[in-house]
Amino acid sequence: MEKLSQKFGDIFRAIGGKASISEKNIEDAVEEIKMALLEADVNLRVVRRFVNATIEEAKGEKVLRAVQPGQQFVKIVHDRMVALLGDTKQDLQLKGPDTLSVILLAGLQGSGKTTTAAKLALHLKNKGRKVLLVACDLVRPAAVEQLVVLGGQIGVTVYREDSQNVLAIAGNAFKVCKKDLYDTVIFDTTGRMQIDDGLMKELEQLRNLVKPDETLLVADAMTGQSAVDIAKVFNERIGISGVILTKFDSDTRGGAALSLKSVTDKPIKFIGVSERPEGLEVFHPERIASRILGMGDIVSLVEKAQEVMEQGEAEALERKMVNETFTLQDYLDQIRKMKKMGSMKSLLDMMPGLAGQISEEQLNAVDTKHEEAIILSMTRKERNNYLIIGPTRRSRIARGSGTSVAEVARLLKKFEKSKLMMRKAVKNKKMAAQMMGGM
Ligand SMILES: Nc1nc2c(ncn2[C@@H]2O[C@H](COP(=O)(O)OP(=O)(O)OP(=O)(O)O)[C@@H](O)[C@H]2O)c(=O)[nH]1
Ligand SMILES: [Mg+2]
């Protein structure tokens, strides 16, 4: 996905700056988009449809005559991509709190079923549901143990039995749900290396018994196109209601996400973004499109920030971004909070303009400890207005923080860049809103 965002970034930069664009410009840009999508392992037919629709719309009067044709073009690509990803967010279809809701997870070996079962349980628990996890993977040694450990971490009960009969376990789990008044039950199942008849039969039987409200395929985003093929077969055999794409945090080629909806007609409902139980995100087509296109995802970023910040703080941050009053002090606060929020990388990918531009190695090279020390060596005045930090102040700060003048300069540059990105992001957002309003 990273590479894809980078490519889109380049394409958009090239066309976005033009005061007027020709049909030829559009064709060239679309050709590059096509190559980028194919390279990202997006289904060929999906690419063709996407490209044709984009060209047709982009060659219309609206773009060629627009005041900012480049921006208009970018918007078309963005909207097309949102459509490709499924238009609107698809919530889980669960019953009210007084009736038991059933979720069945299925997928190939190692796709992330067990991890996802725990993630989903935590997600629903946080929404106030009383969740029971049921260990129905009796094939892989230690599979049951894995789920029990995860359940312990998130404070969700796991139902297990030393039996070899999946159906009997499921039946007993229902009794427990009834007795202990659970409102949601999640079944973790066995995976196989490949789709085989035995697995499908077991899943069919389990499905017939538990009658799931949601049958979710857990698919590994890293496998690209084959995740889509797998989804197709699972849907034909057991009927799925949606997909959870795991390992979305890896440097996947993004193809799976882009092809899934249009090939299988089943929505992506969640994405897995880390190994940890918190690493599950609701799939918002609009936001993912922005991320894929390298436009960042301010909304998710702010939401994520809210998880560790007080509501008021998060609003203040958003206001600062809009009013362009983001200072080095704020930057320092952010560094400290980001540490708490977890993976820098996944956060940076949400930052407009930064998606795909910073690799894991570069990140590791950035020593946030040094950055903290540098900012801490600044006076309040300097933190509020970085522009006053000239050569003399720089060397004083470097001495004070035990770093070098070059490092101080680098930090200031980086800060300036993120300020610029924020301004751009806010502008884009405003412009998008205006454009939407005008239509
Ligand atoms: N980075 C990352 N790793 C993940 C994600 N989801 C799962 N994993 C990792 O993928 C590996 C396999 O996950 P499991 O949950 O055991 O997969 P499974 O489908 O239950 O595997 P089997 O039970 O053997 O079929 C583990 O190392 C997980 O930590 C994710 O969203 N991101
Ligand atoms: Mg498992």
Side-chain angles (χ1 to χ4, degrees), residues 132-194:
L132 181 71
L133 279 163
V134 185
C136 283
D137 179 356
L138 310 175
V139 177
R140 188 164 64 80
V144 174
E145 221 36 67
Q146 183 192 358
L147 192 65
V148 171
V149 170
L150 287 168
Q153 283 173 16
I154 57 172
V156 168
T157 309
V158 176
Y159 184 76
R160 64 178 298 180
E161 246 179 62
D162 288 327
S163 140
Q164 278 305 310
N165 185 341
V166 171
L167 297 178
I169 295 178
N172 289 335
F174 271 111
K175 285 181 200 147
V176 172
C177 287
K178 204 163 184 183
K179 186 171 126 277
D180 294 338
L181 300 174
Y182 285 94
D183 57 36
T184 312
V185 57
I186 301 175
F187 291 92
D188 178 30
T189 60
T190 305
R192 298 280 159 90
M193 290 288 277
Q194 284 141 356

Side-chain angles (χ1 to χ4, degrees), residues 8 62 64 98 100 102 109 120 131 143 147 154 163 235 293 309 321 324 364:
F8 273 112
K62 254 195 339 219
L64 295 173
D98 300 333
L100 182 65
V102 180
Q109 202 168 73
L120 206 52
V131 186
L147 192 65
I154 57 172
S163 140
N235 190 39
L293 295 178
M309 280 187 229
M321 287 167 79
E324 301 178 19
N364 292 340

Side-chain angles (χ1 to χ4, degrees), residues 107-116 119 137 140 143 146 150 188-192 218 245-250 271-275 279:
L108 293 189
Q109 202 168 73
S111 58
K113 291 176 299 299
T114 306
T115 313
T116 304
K119 288 177 176 179
D137 179 356
R140 188 164 64 80
Q146 183 192 358
L150 287 168
D188 178 30
T189 60
T190 305
R192 298 280 159 90
V218 178
L245 262 189
T246 60
K247 308 179 198 176
F248 215 72
D249 49 318
S250 59
I271 46 175
V273 295
S274 82
E275 292 184 283

Side-chain angles (χ1 to χ4, degrees), residues 71 159 206-207 217 259 296 340 376 383 391-392 396 420:
Q71 294 294 342
Y159 184 76
L206 193 58
R207 177 204 62 197
L217 174 75
S259 318
K340 255 201 274 174
L376 286 172
R383 288 183 211 179
T392 328
R396 192 209 75 234
L420 201 76

Side-chain angles (χ1 to χ4, degrees), residues 1-17:
M1 197 171 102
E2 207 168 281
K3 284 219 185 77
L4 197 56
S5 332
Q6 223 161 11
K7 286 236 172 71
F8 273 112
D10 293 344
I11 297 169
F12 288 165
R13 252 189 302 284
I15 199 166

Side-chain angles (χ1 to χ4, degrees), residues 112-402:
K113 291 176 299 299
T114 306
T115 313
T116 304
K119 288 177 176 179
L120 206 52
L122 178 63
H123 171 81
L124 292 169
K125 181 188 167 198
N126 288 341
K127 285 184 167 281
R129 285 191 165 257
K130 188 173 176 196
V131 186
L132 181 71
L133 279 163
V134 185
C136 283
D137 179 356
L138 310 175
V139 177
R140 188 164 64 80
V144 174
E145 221 36 67
Q146 183 192 358
L147 192 65
V148 171
V149 170
L150 287 168
Q153 283 173 16
I154 57 172
V156 168
T157 309
V158 176
Y159 184 76
R160 64 178 298 180
E161 246 179 62
D162 288 327
S163 140
Q164 278 305 310
N165 185 341
V166 171
L167 297 178
I169 295 178
N172 289 335
F174 271 111
K175 285 181 200 147
V176 172
C177 287
K178 204 163 184 183
K179 186 171 126 277
D180 294 338
L181 300 174
Y182 285 94
D183 57 36
T184 312
V185 57
I186 301 175
F187 291 92
D188 178 30
T189 60
T190 305
R192 298 280 159 90
M193 290 288 277
Q194 284 141 356
I195 294 169
D196 71 25
D197 221 43
L199 171 65
M200 288 302 166
K201 284 226 171 76
E202 180 175 314
L203 285 172
E204 266 167 16
Q205 287 176 343
L206 193 58
R207 177 204 62 197
N208 292 342
L209 180 81
V210 305
K211 301 195 175 46
D213 298 277
E214 288 277 1
T215 305
L216 299 171
L217 174 75
V218 178
D220 181 341
M222 282 164 78
T223 60
Q225 200 48 49
S226 85
V228 181
D229 299 334
I230 292 162
K232 232 172 129 178
V233 178
F234 269 82
N235 190 39
E236 280 156 17
R237 285 297 298 264
I238 57 166
I240 60 174
S241 54
V243 179
I244 300 182
L245 262 189
T246 60
K247 308 179 198 176
F248 215 72
D249 49 318
S250 59
D251 186 10
T252 59
R253 293 186 286 172
L258 286 169
S259 318
L260 250 168
K261 179 67 176 33
S262 45
V263 174
T264 65
D265 203 33
K266 295 295 167 187
I268 302 171
K269 297 205 168 182
F270 295 92
I271 46 175
V273 295
S274 82
E275 292 184 283
R276 292 155 33 106
E278 298 82 23
L280 187 75
E281 281 180 22
V282 174
F283 186 78
H284 293 271
E286 171 91 22
R287 303 184 193 177
I288 298 297
S290 296
R291 266 194 243 177
I292 291 179
L293 295 178
M295 296 170 172
D297 180 357
I298 287 286
V299 186
S300 297
L301 189 65
V302 170
E303 271 180 9
K304 200 142 205 169
Q306 276 168 352
E307 286 166 23
V308 286
M309 280 187 229
E310 296 296 317
Q311 174 73 17
E313 269 183 276
E315 277 167 6
L317 173 63
E318 212 181 346
R319 230 181 358 259
K320 277 178 181 156
M321 287 167 79
V322 173
N323 298 333
E324 301 178 19
T325 54
F326 190 78
T327 65
L328 277 162
Q329 180 63 47
D330 299 321
Y331 188 83
L332 177 64
D333 293 344
Q334 291 322 302
I335 295 179
R336 290 175 168 170
K337 274 180 189 129
M338 280 200 182
K339 271 197 198 149
K340 255 201 274 174
M341 278 194 263
S343 161
M344 270 289 238
K345 176 104 191 51
S346 66
L347 288 172
L348 284 174
D349 279 343
M350 294 183 201
M351 287 292 259
L354 289 186
Q357 301 206 355
I358 296 173
S359 69
E360 198 78 56
E361 296 89 73
Q362 279 171 301
L363 258 189
N364 292 340
V366 176
D367 190 348
T368 49
K369 271 228 174 66
H370 280 196
E371 294 198 340
E372 270 189 73
I374 292 172
I375 300 178
L376 286 172
S377 293
M378 294 177 184
T379 63
R380 182 172 292 272
K381 222 168 137 194
E382 287 164 346
R383 288 183 211 179
N384 283 333
N385 181 11
Y386 72 105
L387 294 172
I388 63 169
I389 307 175
T392 328
R393 289 179 190 257
R394 281 181 197 205
S395 50
R396 192 209 75 234
I397 293 166
R399 248 179 294 124
S401 57

